[in-house]
Amino acid sequence: MQVDFYHLTRDPAVSLIPVLAQKTLDAGQRLVIVEGDPVNRERLSEALWQHRPESFLAHDSADSDYAALQPIVLTAQCRNANHARFIALADGQWHDAALAFDRIFYLFTARDIDTARGNWRALYGRADVTCKYWKQEGGRWKEGP
């Protein structure tokens, strides 16, 4: 499994999630997006609908009767309503249940840096986990130390 640590220093999660969602779909995968705050979940939903002027990223709530059919679901809890292999933890909160997925996008801000560092230490060096750290530089994402 791979855990991608995304340190949000400039842009908020609502800017990065549609990019990660598009890359996930381009890879032929499904995605679960975890955001505990209902207002932020709605913002993420709007961002997915408006990602590109010529298209949108189809998604639904994990509570929907049609969640299992959707390529992307939004949820407050870490649960796999659409049989996804990828998960994005968009609100800076770590969920051990995310370790059941093949790929984890863990987004955090300076507010969550101590928790993120603790999670890195807990996961780095495990034989079954590859950790990568991503940081923003000049408007782009760069893998870094």
Side-chain angles (χ1 to χ4, degrees):
M1 122 189 27
Q2 181 170 317
V3 181
D4 293 287
F5 287 73
Y6 281 90
H7 188 175
L8 302 171
T9 57
R10 193 187 84 171
D11 297 328
V14 72
S15 297
L16 179 58
I17 287 293
V19 174
L20 294 174
Q22 184 65 62
K23 289 184 178 194
T24 296
L25 296 179
D26 290 347
Q29 297 297 325
R30 291 172 171 245
L31 179 67
V32 171
I33 301 169
V34 179
E35 170 56 66
D37 183 296
V39 172
N40 288 339
R41 233 180 3 265
E42 182 60 32
R43 287 184 184 134
L44 288 170
S45 179
E46 289 173 18
L48 292 169
W49 285 121
Q50 300 170 3
H51 175 57
R52 291 188 179 154
E54 70 280 1
S55 68
F56 61 89
L57 296 169
H59 63 282
D60 204 346
S61 166
D63 297 326
S64 165
D65 292 339
Y66 304 101
L69 303 174
Q70 297 299 323
I72 301 168
V73 295
L74 292 160
T75 182
Q77 301 90 18
C78 186
R79 65 186 188 97
N80 197 351
N82 65 340
H83 313 290
R85 293 176 52 205
F86 290 17
I87 188 168
L89 305 176
D91 59 5
Q93 302 300 309
W94 179 260
H95 300 267
D96 284 337
L99 295 171
F101 291 79
D102 292 342
R103 187 149 186 200
I104 303 164
F105 304 112
Y106 176 43
L107 286 60
F108 62 94
T109 63
R111 180 188 72 220
D112 308 306
I113 193 83
D114 290 334
T115 301
R117 285 180 177 150
N119 290 323
W120 178 276
R121 285 191 296 273
L123 296 169
Y124 191 79
R126 280 182 46 172
D128 61 336
V129 178
T130 300
C131 292
K132 293 187 177 192
Y133 173 79
W134 299 91
K135 59 185 176 180
Q136 292 176 288
E137 284 188 3
R140 302 196 62 153
W141 286 95
K142 180 180 177 186
E143 188 175 356

